[in-house]
Amino acid sequence: FFIFLFSNVQFAQFSSTKVISVNDGLLSNNIQSSFTDSDNNIWLGSRAGLFLKKGNLFEKAPQATKYKFNNVFSIIEDPKKGKWVAGLGQGVLFFNETTSKLINVKSGLLNNRAYSLFYYNDSVYVGTFNGISIISVQDFSVTNPRFHQHKDYEFQINHFFNIGSKVYAAVLNDGIFEVTPN
């Protein structure tokens, strides 16, 4: 009995980990977001931009390079495999296999400091440092719902979630809000 009891201690589990850094091909050690798409591609967002892992290499996404899109905080995919990327200071980058588009204040986005993204019901909800914009996946039109917010704080959206058919936003310092187009 004692031999069995002490033999289990000798066979403890071991987890192997590996640190991947700029020394291994990353263009930045400051990874702010990661996402695995429906094709099992790994996307990484950092201050230096958006990267795609291909084999053992990391390549800068050409769409992000085209728009000089960096400081990536959120990456999502819609059901048609379109990628949506939130950039702090540049708005939202959309791309698929055939096209790319930058959605920013000039396009109707509430603020270019986009921090979080959430897909629900043919819309992409964009959390910014000053409110929420809702982008239609069909035509890229933008709706900016208004909220009663605390006068002493920026309306910083940390993340979205849904319960049933309702979408909610978790807001720094202000709690949780139900989000509707109006």
Side-chain angles (χ1 to χ4, degrees), residues 62-82:
Q63 301 86 349
T65 302
K66 174 182 175 182
Y67 292 102
K68 297 180 178 147
F69 201 84
N70 55 23
N71 218 358
V72 173
F73 269 87
S74 184
I75 310 161
I76 64 170
E77 182 179 51
D78 64 36
K80 295 181 180 177
K81 296 188 178 189

Side-chain angles (χ1 to χ4, degrees), residues 60-121:
K60 195 158 187 178
Q63 301 86 349
T65 302
K66 174 182 175 182
Y67 292 102
K68 297 180 178 147
F69 201 84
N70 55 23
N71 218 358
V72 173
F73 269 87
S74 184
I75 310 161
I76 64 170
E77 182 179 51
D78 64 36
K80 295 181 180 177
K81 296 188 178 189
K83 310 297 184 288
W84 299 80
V85 183
L88 192 62
Q90 295 168 293
V92 176
L93 174 63
F94 165 81
F95 63 91
N96 58 23
E97 290 183 7
T98 60
T99 188
S100 62
K101 180 176 182 66
L102 185 62
I103 303 160
N104 54 24
V105 171
K106 291 179 183 177
S107 313
L109 200 65
L110 187 62
N111 192 303
N112 283 337
R113 294 186 298 165
Y115 185 73
S116 59
L117 299 172
F118 182 72
Y119 176 86
Y120 182 76
N121 201 21

